């Protein structure tokens, strides 16, 4: 991996790690629905601008509707769930729970897509779930009903991301090659379309508001432009330059930044539970994401 690729990977990890502190700040001020809607809308507008400025061809090859549907699963639902979790869980917790995405992908693939699971991956899943239990049970946050709900919301978001990975291959990438920026833009548009009636309903029922505070708008702009638009650009560049497996290593680093930023900017407490629980999840990701030596040898250029 070149130094430029490593710096992009580090930057992406920091950006996605920061998303949890932005949500933790803005959700109590603007609410769950407003935070989710404006993040989607601003992110979509940013991606449209990028696509137009780069003069990309709007060629979806009949897959536009699937890109919209993917946005509901990969953006609208997870953003709502993470925003809900931000009301009750520290940003560091949400970031660590987010790292269970590969674990959820393994379980979803085995149950719904007949994807084979070997002993190594099963062990990784077990260790990862043990890490979640450890973090929830001995951390600095006392888990009541609200915190349990928030943890389940985070795990539900991770499951959505895992499911979206399989559906993106089945719906979009299986038969044709579409520009990744177009897929990202379509998905953000789909999420925005779904969130719009929910947001309008929220305005009429006092479950949503239009933020009036300038700091809230800065946080929303950071979520939309930085954590969605810029993050997608970095991620798709990494996919192109270093491949999907190495790019997925961003999962290792996001919780580190989420915990550090939460402690620095929100005054969240750090404890050994972050080390124990996060460490177990980190080990589980090694079992799940890092190929076995035999697999690497079998796929080498010489072979």
């Amino acid at each position: 991996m070149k130094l430029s690729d490593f710096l992009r990977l580090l930057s992406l990890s920091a950006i996605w790690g920061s998303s949890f502190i932005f949500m933790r700040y803005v959700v109590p001020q603007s609410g769950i629905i407003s935070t989710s809607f404006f993040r989607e809308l601003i992110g979509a507008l940013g991606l449209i601008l990028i696509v137009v400025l780069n003069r990309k061809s709007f060629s979806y090859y009949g897959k536009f509707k699937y890109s919209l549907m993917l946005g509901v699963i990969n953006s609208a639902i997870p953003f709502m769930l993470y925003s809900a979790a931000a009301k009750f869980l520290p940003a560091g917790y949400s970031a660590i729970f987010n790292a269970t995405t590969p674990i959820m992908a393994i379980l979803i693939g085995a149950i719904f897509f007949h994807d084979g699971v070997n002993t190594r991956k099963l062990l990784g899943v077990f260790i990862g779930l043990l890490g979640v239990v450890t973090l929830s049970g001995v951390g600095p946050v006392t888990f009541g009903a609200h915190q349990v709900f928030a943890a389940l919301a985070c795990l539900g978001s991770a499951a959505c991301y895992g499911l979206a990975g399989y559906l993106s291959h089945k719906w979009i990438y299986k038969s044709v090659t579409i520009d990744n920026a177009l897929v990202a833009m379509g998905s953000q548009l789909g999420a925005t379309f779904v969130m719009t009636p929910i947001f309008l309903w929220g305005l009429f029922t006092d479950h949503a508001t239009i933020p009036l505070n300038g700091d809230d708008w800065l946080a929303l702009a950071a979520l939309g432009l930085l954590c969605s638009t810029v993050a997608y650009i970095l991620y798709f560049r990494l996919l192109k330059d270093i491949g999907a497996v190495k790019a997925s290593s961003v999962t290792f680093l996001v919780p580190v930044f989420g915990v550090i930023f939460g402690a620095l900017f929100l005054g969240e407490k750090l404890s050994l539970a972050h080390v124990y629980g996060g460490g177990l999840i980190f080990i589980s990701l090694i079992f799940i994401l890092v190929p076995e030596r035999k697999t690497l040898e079998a796929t080498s250029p010489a072979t």
Side-chain angles (χ1 to χ4, degrees), residues 216-249:
D216 291 348
W217 279 112
L218 287 175
L220 289 171
L223 280 171
L225 295 177
L226 182 64
C227 302
S228 292
T229 302
V230 174
Y232 272 125
I233 294 170
L234 286 173
Y235 183 60
F236 292 136
R237 177 65 183 271
L238 283 170
L239 284 175
K240 178 183 177 182
D241 291 347
I242 66 176
V245 174
K246 289 183 179 179
S248 67
S249 60

Side-chain angles (χ1 to χ4, degrees), residues 63 66-67 69-74 77 105 108-109 112-113 159-175 183:
K63 302 288 186 178
Y66 294 115
S67 182
M69 293 166 60
L70 193 63
V72 178
I73 299 170
N74 197 50
I77 297 175
I108 289 171
F112 298 106
F113 294 93
C160 286
Y161 291 141
L163 175 61
Y166 281 95
L167 293 180
S168 63
H169 174 72
K170 181 178 180 179
W171 287 349
I172 296 175
Y173 295 116
K174 189 174 183 179
S175 56
V183 177

